[in-house]
């Protein structure tokens, strides 16, 4: 059992990304992370597919923009993490050891690469470029608390958020590229509503870092949000806004207490033997 | 396979309830259902524990206010359903055949009682009065579409909403008594946010009928809401408001289409063999 974590500032760095402009994208993300560190952040979340961009024209283009886990993204983030004593989460197009391409996220701290997560629920054309992951989010014990990674569309599967929470995550870091908008006027993006519900159902923190900048005709929600265990945003992007570095003070210890009344606990109150219908079946 | 359902008006009748004033409570619910029918509703949802009230002082009081499935609640609702060709969902304190008390919901149509659901996830002191159910929501084929019942705190378990959806529910009817408020200024009740997420994650309709009227010092959220498959409210109570009959036009056929892009489907995209950790274990 680790020490109970204290309050930390968690940053989501909503930056512009342009497919194919790899070095520029990574530099933009790194600069935003530097700003977050200057403002006191200890945890920094960056978007999905930060360096490569998202809207690939072909599998060959995706492969050309992919990188291994000792490539420029992890090297750059590890340097940042070491210099500022940060925990950094970001997405990258991973060229894995077996040659497959993965839509991955990494967790890096001052000691280097701590965790790799490969997106399990693929959106739209992603299956043309990436092989889906087949492992649940891993919970990593860091200096600030227990963190887990998921990516974008994974957030829309409450099963996935629950598994991260049951594994002990205090904070789920979610690099995203939310295509959109699927928003009603005056309403939060529905993706953010799902983040709220995942946080509330599990009494944990969730930091979803979205992107901005149109890419080959695709607009983005630009709806980065950090939600607390009561399900309400602690920080959120102005809808339709541009680049933003948002900080939220998170008392991560609150995620260790799942009680909602003198007699209720959102995890203990589950009836798992009645949920068997959710698992098994086709792969 | 039944015919694809058309558009119907679904009503949530947010009425005052006072523990122990059984006949008055039932009459108030019936009057609201009559109003909904006059305004064109085909589906009417009433609160949890409509006739008995909620804040029992003792197990003996709960038992005294409970009733069998051929008692006044079902008799009254079946008469309403027959006269107006309605489908009616409501909660009641059920005195079951085995003598146990259950926090139940019934679904009644012109042919009479169609389904009984016994609340599986009990809130706060409910365990002192009721035995928890141990069966998932049943999906009932009605004249307007496929309906399922859940009750209040059940809504906060995304597993439960998913199971109702996977069983084929077009519309989940949820009698509730949301104690509260756990609301931030300017925000929806978090319970309503969870209804939104459950609807969006499953591309189905959810109609949650809350109550109003303080009871033995307990205030209520009074946050009745009908949400469509995109996760946005089609009708919702003014927070902190009093009695209200809200109607929402629901094209229930939309719930049969789980696609969200040319290549995505919120149910087909699940990875059930990776969700085994959600089921099994202790009862």
């Amino acid at each position: 059992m680790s020490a109970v974590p204290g309050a930390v500032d968690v940053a989501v760095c909503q930056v512009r990304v342009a497919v194919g402009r790899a070095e520029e994208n990574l530099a933009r993300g790194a600069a935003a992370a530097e700003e977050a560190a200057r403002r006191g952040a200890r945890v920094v979340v960056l978007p999905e597919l930060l360096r490569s961009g998202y809207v690939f024209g072909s599998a060959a283009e995706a492969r050309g923009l992919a990188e291994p886990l000792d490539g420029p993204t992890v090297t750059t983030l590890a340097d940042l993490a070491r210099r500022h004593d940060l925990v950094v989460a970001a997405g990258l197009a991973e060229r894995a050891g077996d040659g497959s391409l993965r839509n991955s996220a990494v967790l890096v701290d001052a000691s280097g690469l701590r965790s790799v997560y490969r997106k399990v629920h693929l959106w739209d054309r992603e299956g043309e470029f990436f092989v889906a992951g087949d492992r649940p989010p891993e919970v990593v014990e860091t200096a600030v608390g227990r963190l887990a990674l998921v990516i974008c569309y994974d957030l829309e599967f409450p099963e996935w958020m629950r598994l991260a929470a049951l594994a002990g995550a205090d904070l789920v870091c979610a690099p995203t590229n939310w295509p959109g908008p699927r928003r009603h006027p005056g309403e939060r993006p529905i993706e953010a509503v799902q983040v709220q519900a995942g946080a509330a159902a599990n009494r944990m923190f969730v930091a979803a870092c979205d992107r901005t900048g149109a890419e080959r005709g695709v607009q983005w929600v630009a709806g980065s949000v950090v939600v607390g265990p009561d399900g309400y945003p602690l920080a959120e992007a102005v809808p339709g806004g541009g680049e933003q570095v948002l900080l939220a003070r998170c008392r991560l210890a609150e995620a260790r207490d799942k009680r909602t009344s003198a007699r209720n606990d959102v995890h203990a109150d589950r009836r798992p033997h009645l949920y068997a219908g959710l698992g098994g079946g086709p792969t």
Side-chain angles (χ1 to χ4, degrees), chain A:
Chain A
M1 199 67 179
S2 60
V4 173
V8 291
D9 283 341
V10 174
V12 285
C13 297
Q14 178 173 291
V15 292
R16 272 195 290 136
V17 178
V19 68
R21 305 179 74 155
E23 302 324 316
E24 185 180 323
N25 293 335
L26 182 56
R28 197 181 288 279
E34 293 269 8
E35 178 191 330
R38 274 197 307 277
R39 290 168 55 190
R42 292 291 313 280
V43 179
V44 173
V45 187
L46 290 156
E48 180 182 11
L49 297 176
L50 169 67
R51 180 172 168 273
S52 62
Y54 184 93
V55 188
F56 306 115
S58 67
E61 184 182 36
R63 182 161 293 275
L65 290 165
E67 58 184 302
L69 290 176
D70 58 359
T73 295
V74 172
T75 303
T76 299
L77 300 183
D79 176 62
L80 268 168
R82 197 168 42 244
R83 284 190 291 110
H84 299 291
D85 194 20
L86 299 175
V87 181
V88 185
L92 80 165
E94 181 197 355
R95 192 167 64 244
D98 64 1
S100 67
L101 256 50
R102 306 289 189 145
N103 184 337
S104 297
V106 290
L107 195 74
V108 173
D109 69 11
S111 71
L113 179 63
R114 297 293 310 278
S115 184
V116 183
Y117 168 76
R118 291 158 168 181
K119 189 175 185 177
V120 156
H121 303 92
L122 297 183
W123 176 255
D124 205 33
R125 291 184 62 200
E126 290 176 26
E128 298 174 27
F129 312 125
F130 298 111
V131 176
D134 56 8
R135 295 177 63 175
E138 176 187 43
V139 172
V140 180
E141 192 81 55
T142 74
V144 299
R146 297 182 194 135
L147 273 54
L149 299 166
V150 307
I151 302 173
C152 201
Y153 189 39
D154 287 327
L155 289 165
E156 303 188 28
F157 295 82
E159 295 93 339
W160 217 233
M161 299 297 273
R162 185 70 103 191
L163 285 169
L166 291 174
D170 301 319
L171 167 65
V172 170
C173 298
T176 75
N177 275 197
W178 283 332
R182 290 186 278 157
R183 186 159 54 222
H184 287 208
E187 293 279 1
R188 283 203 177 96
I190 201 65
E191 296 88 347
V193 171
Q194 288 176 313
V195 169
Q196 289 186 266
N202 294 291
R203 305 286 304 169
M204 67 179 175
F205 293 83
V206 184
C209 184
D210 201 10
R211 58 169 290 171
T212 183
E215 201 177 87
R216 292 180 174 159
V218 177
Q219 299 288 331
W220 307 91
V221 169
S224 300
V225 65
V226 182
V227 175
D230 65 359
Y232 290 106
L234 298 166
E236 62 186 319
V238 177
E243 296 196 302
Q244 305 173 50
V245 175
L246 299 165
L247 267 68
R249 174 64 51 96
C250 298
R251 300 188 61 82
L252 293 179
E254 291 175 10
R256 305 271 167 109
D257 182 358
K258 304 301 185 191
R259 289 174 300 178
T260 48
S261 83
R263 296 169 187 79
N264 292 97
D265 176 301
V266 294
H267 283 175
D269 290 345
R270 297 176 70 244
R271 305 283 306 274
H273 75 297
L274 299 178
Y275 306 154
L278 297 174
T283 60

